[in-house]
Amino acid sequence: MRQEVGKIHKKRIEALTKLRVHLEESKKSLVDCCKAWALVTQAKMKVKQLIHQFRVAKAKLDSAEQAKANLEGEVGGIKARVLQLLETARRVSGVQDPQEDQELMSRFNTFPDELDEVEERIHECQAQADLCMGIDEEAVREYEEREKKIRELEKEISKMQKRSDDAESELSGLKESWLTPLKDLLGKVSLRFSDYFRLMRCVGEVALHEDPKDFSQYSVKISVKFRDSEQLQPLNAQRQSGGERSVSTMLYLMALQGITACPFRVVDEINQGMDPVNERRVFDLIVAASSQETESSQYFILTPKLLQELDYTNAVTVHVVHNGQEMPKFRQQTSECFLC
């Protein structure tokens, strides 16, 4: 019995193994069936699309065939019209076979091939024919005189244009002869001006404002920036304060010092409106420029006040001018009069 039970178990195991194999095969077949069904579905959709495309193409083909039939009908009508016109042309010209008349063929070949151009040519010929029906000799003479006058004016215009081109070329040469040195000169001034502004922890530049049409509008454009949050702005009364304009003017004069031969410069109350910091910086720059440079100009600075503890070099001389109703006469003046 135990042997029989073992055989039965063995058979059960074999049956289960086969069942497992069959299940795997069934699973694979099911997957293949699903894939096949998906392909069939896609194929059906493709067929529907092709059927729709076929119907659209069929409609277009029917429309094209109808258009073709209409065009064929129009062509037939045009051919009949052409034959009728050809017969009329033969009757009017008296030429039955145009190929035999070389002169007629050569003239015919000069005509355009497009229908629109032919119709335009017909209108031109018709207009000329209408004009020839009533010719006015006075009008013809006036036309010839005006045509002659036009030719003379065209020659005069050509000469004037040549003179204008020559003048323009000469003007360009003259402009280049002074504009290039001027730009180089302003470039040097702008470099020195920028250096002075950099020493004051500000930014400034000098440029040439050009007008291509009017030379009188050429000017020197000074742009400055006194605060980091600002952009370079043109120097004018609307944008900068009086003190800032005074600082910019003084530094511009100092920038001109290296390119202009001037024995001395007089500056009257340049420090009016300046804050103490800018006034001290400008004074130090003037002293340094006039003391260190060998070819610098002599500065006369007229001012009702000066800051205390300014740096004076040996090249600086201070003149104090006293005046007023209570001043003693010149011969009565002593050193005690000016001590307090």
Side-chain angles (χ1 to χ4, degrees), residues 32-48:
D32 293 339
C33 182
C34 291
K35 291 181 179 179
W37 180 254
L39 293 175
V40 169
T41 304
Q42 292 179 357
K44 288 181 178 180
M45 293 179 63
K46 186 67 175 177
V47 168
K48 289 182 179 180

Side-chain angles (χ1 to χ4, degrees), residues 164-188:
S164 176
D165 294 341
D166 295 340
E168 185 70 23
S169 178
E170 183 179 1
L171 180 62
S172 299
L174 293 174
K175 177 182 176 181
E176 192 67 24
S177 65
W178 61 263
L179 185 59
T180 300
L182 178 61
K183 288 183 178 180
D184 295 339
L185 189 65
L186 285 180
K188 297 177 182 179

Side-chain angles (χ1 to χ4, degrees), residues 17-178:
T17 302
K18 292 180 179 180
L19 179 61
R20 179 181 178 183
V21 172
H22 290 315
L23 288 176
E24 291 292 336
E25 292 178 353
S26 298
K27 180 180 178 181
K28 183 178 179 182
S29 299
L30 181 61
V31 172
D32 293 339
C33 182
C34 291
K35 291 181 179 179
W37 180 254
L39 293 175
V40 169
T41 304
Q42 292 179 357
K44 288 181 178 180
M45 293 179 63
K46 186 67 175 177
V47 168
K48 289 182 179 180
Q49 292 178 358
L50 292 175
I51 291 173
H52 177 70
Q53 293 177 0
F54 171 76
R55 290 175 179 175
V56 173
K58 183 69 169 54
K60 291 182 178 180
L61 178 60
D62 293 340
S63 177
E65 289 180 350
Q66 182 63 34
K68 177 184 176 183
N70 295 335
L71 291 175
E72 288 178 350
E74 293 180 2
V75 169
I78 293 173
K79 286 183 177 180
R81 177 61 177 167
V82 168
L83 292 175
Q84 183 181 358
L85 292 175
L86 179 60
E87 185 63 28
T88 302
R90 287 174 177 175
R91 185 176 65 256
V92 172
S93 63
V95 178
Q96 295 300 321
D97 189 2
Q99 301 292 337
E100 298 178 356
D101 193 338
Q102 299 297 329
E103 181 181 358
L104 181 62
M105 288 301 301
S106 60
R107 292 182 60 187
F108 182 79
N109 291 331
T110 59
F111 294 153
D113 297 330
E114 299 295 332
L115 180 61
D116 295 338
E117 297 179 359
V118 172
E119 291 180 351
E120 183 178 357
R121 185 70 175 273
I122 291 174
H123 291 318
E124 292 178 358
C125 295
Q126 186 64 40
Q128 293 177 2
D130 294 341
L131 291 175
C132 293
M133 293 180 65
I135 300 176
D136 188 354
E137 295 182 357
E138 183 65 22
V140 173
R141 185 182 62 80
E142 184 179 356
Y143 170 78
E144 293 176 349
E145 291 179 355
R146 289 190 178 184
E147 188 177 18
K148 181 180 179 181
K149 186 66 175 178
I150 290 173
R151 289 195 296 267
E152 293 176 354
L153 290 175
E154 288 177 348
K155 292 180 181 179
E156 187 67 22
I157 290 173
S158 178
K159 293 179 182 179
M160 294 177 65
Q161 183 64 39
K162 186 177 183 304
R163 289 198 298 268
S164 176
D165 294 341
D166 295 340
E168 185 70 23
S169 178
E170 183 179 1
L171 180 62
S172 299
L174 293 174
K175 177 182 176 181
E176 192 67 24
S177 65
W178 61 263

Side-chain angles (χ1 to χ4, degrees), residues 72-330:
E72 288 178 350
E74 293 180 2
V75 169
I78 293 173
K79 286 183 177 180
R81 177 61 177 167
V82 168
L83 292 175
Q84 183 181 358
L85 292 175
L86 179 60
E87 185 63 28
T88 302
R90 287 174 177 175
R91 185 176 65 256
V92 172
S93 63
V95 178
Q96 295 300 321
D97 189 2
Q99 301 292 337
E100 298 178 356
D101 193 338
Q102 299 297 329
E103 181 181 358
L104 181 62
M105 288 301 301
S106 60
R107 292 182 60 187
F108 182 79
N109 291 331
T110 59
F111 294 153
D113 297 330
E114 299 295 332
L115 180 61
D116 295 338
E117 297 179 359
V118 172
E119 291 180 351
E120 183 178 357
R121 185 70 175 273
I122 291 174
H123 291 318
E124 292 178 358
C125 295
Q126 186 64 40
Q128 293 177 2
D130 294 341
L131 291 175
C132 293
M133 293 180 65
I135 300 176
D136 188 354
E137 295 182 357
E138 183 65 22
V140 173
R141 185 182 62 80
E142 184 179 356
Y143 170 78
E144 293 176 349
E145 291 179 355
R146 289 190 178 184
E147 188 177 18
K148 181 180 179 181
K149 186 66 175 178
I150 290 173
R151 289 195 296 267
E152 293 176 354
L153 290 175
E154 288 177 348
K155 292 180 181 179
E156 187 67 22
I157 290 173
S158 178
K159 293 179 182 179
M160 294 177 65
Q161 183 64 39
K162 186 177 183 304
R163 289 198 298 268
S164 176
D165 294 341
D166 295 340
E168 185 70 23
S169 178
E170 183 179 1
L171 180 62
S172 299
L174 293 174
K175 177 182 176 181
E176 192 67 24
S177 65
W178 61 263
L179 185 59
T180 300
L182 178 61
K183 288 183 178 180
D184 295 339
L185 189 65
L186 285 180
K188 297 177 182 179
V189 173
S190 180
L191 183 61
R192 295 171 66 91
F193 186 73
S194 300
D195 292 339
Y196 287 140
F197 258 81
R198 192 178 301 109
L199 294 175
M200 298 187 64
R201 300 182 182 88
C202 301
V203 180
E205 67 177 17
V206 179
L208 178 65
H209 172 70
E210 302 183 39
D211 191 322
K213 297 182 179 180
D214 189 358
F215 288 110
S216 63
Q217 298 300 320
Y218 276 52
S219 61
V220 175
K221 180 181 178 182
I222 300 176
S223 301
V224 295
K225 184 179 76 170
F226 287 90
R227 284 164 286 275
D228 294 337
S229 60
E230 297 178 349
Q231 299 293 330
L232 276 172
Q233 297 178 347
L235 182 66
N236 53 49
Q238 287 75 31
R239 296 181 181 272
Q240 289 82 22
S241 63
E244 292 172 346
R245 295 199 305 274
S246 298
V247 171
S248 303
T249 303
M250 193 64 218
L251 296 183
Y252 179 66
L253 292 175
M254 293 174 61
L256 292 175
Q257 178 172 301
I259 62 172
T260 56
C262 182
F264 64 89
R265 291 179 171 85
V266 179
V267 184
D268 184 20
E269 297 186 7
I270 190 65
N271 56 346
Q272 296 301 311
M274 292 187 188
D275 59 274
V277 176
N278 286 332
E279 183 179 352
R280 187 177 299 276
R281 289 176 179 174
V282 170
F283 183 82
D284 292 340
L285 289 175
I286 294 175
V287 171
S290 60
S291 302
Q292 296 179 4
E293 299 182 10
T294 57
E295 297 181 358
S296 62
S297 301
Q298 186 178 10
Y299 279 86
F300 290 89
I301 301 177
L302 307 180
T303 178
K305 67 179 183 66
L306 282 175
L307 295 176
Q308 296 181 0
E309 298 181 0
L310 293 174
D311 294 332
Y312 298 99
T313 65
N314 294 330
V316 178
T317 302
V318 180
H319 296 276
V320 181
V321 180
H322 295 275
N323 193 11
Q325 295 181 357
E326 304 299 330
M327 289 295 297
K329 295 182 179 181
F330 176 75

